Amino acid sequence: MFDRWGVWDVLPESERRRWSLEPFQGVGPPRFGMRPADVTAALGGITRNPQHHTRAALPQDRYGTVKGECWGLGLTFYYGLDERLRGISVDASKGPQVFADGTALVGRVPSEVEQWIIDRSETREPFSELFYVKLGEPGSASLGVVVCAQRAGDRLLTRPVFLPHEAMHAPTRFLPADAWTSP
């Protein structure tokens, strides 16, 4: 790890945890539908810091989303009013590396991940795989992911947001606006 963590520092690939995406089920130990205490328990000894929770106060947040952040892990969890996990965002700079079909999704050049999703869509039903949200962030409907961009100094890196199946009809309406913007 870095002796002194700077705002633009990016954790080397060799020091990141390695997690797998299970589409619409979860990422690494956390599973969609878990309550905050269950997520903390699933993370086990990975972190000594508990989740820091805040309720979204934005008027467009129809769901009353509660955001749980594990700052040391580079993870943000989004819970609905029922306190069930409904979204996971992985920080490009310090989050775990998440793999889908053997491809790394976190902390990458956005155009490379977008091209991978485009190539992957060619083997699937047309118009059912690739989609775009907000400012052109690509998403994969079969993986339940929107690949947002996050600034790291003078570079942009991928910051994926993972979602359950029920979010695929309107991903940006499923989570509050801050889920789609870079931290």
Side-chain angles (χ1 to χ4, degrees):
M1 282 271 208
F2 296 103
D3 292 329
R4 197 180 88 220
W5 186 263
V7 69
W8 301 121
D9 290 334
V10 176
L11 192 64
E13 194 68 24
S14 63
E15 294 183 28
R16 291 180 186 260
R17 288 183 169 69
R18 299 171 67 84
W19 287 1
S20 293
L21 168 64
E22 291 181 43
F24 310 118
Q25 302 301 310
V27 178
R31 295 284 174 255
F32 296 118
M34 285 182 158
R35 295 186 185 279
D38 298 329
V39 170
T40 298
L43 293 173
I46 295 175
T47 182
R48 289 174 278 189
N49 301 324
Q51 289 183 63
H52 172 74
H53 291 90
T54 55
R55 178 171 295 282
L58 301 173
Q60 65 267 34
D61 180 19
R62 301 183 313 241
Y63 303 104
T65 307
V66 174
K67 183 167 67 171
E69 295 179 279
C70 287
W71 293 313
L73 291 180
L75 297 168
T76 302
F77 302 108
Y78 295 92
Y79 300 93
L81 286 175
D82 61 357
E83 294 187 355
R84 300 286 182 174
L85 183 61
R86 58 188 293 131
I88 303 168
S89 175
V90 181
D91 185 86
S93 299
K94 59 184 175 275
Q97 184 55 267
V98 178
F99 291 88
D101 295 340
T103 298
L105 301 179
V106 179
R108 305 254 329 266
V109 173
S111 61
E112 292 175 0
V113 177
E114 178 183 30
Q115 187 60 54
W116 176 76
I117 294 172
I118 290 168
D119 294 346
R120 192 174 180 278
S121 72
E122 292 174 2
T123 64
R124 289 171 170 60
E125 186 177 323
F127 308 110
S128 67
E129 173 61 12
L130 175 67
F131 64 91
Y132 290 90
V133 299
K134 296 287 183 181
L135 298 173
E137 290 101 348
S140 167
S142 68
L143 293 174
V145 63
V146 174
V147 184
C148 300
Q150 177 180 329
R151 184 175 171 206
D154 293 334
R155 301 181 294 161
L156 290 178
L157 299 175
T158 54
R159 180 187 61 83
V161 178
F162 299 97
L163 301 158
H165 191 269
E166 59 268 23
M168 290 295 91
H169 67 285
T172 58
R173 292 184 179 172
F174 197 74
L175 296 178
D178 71 338
W180 311 107
T181 57
S182 186

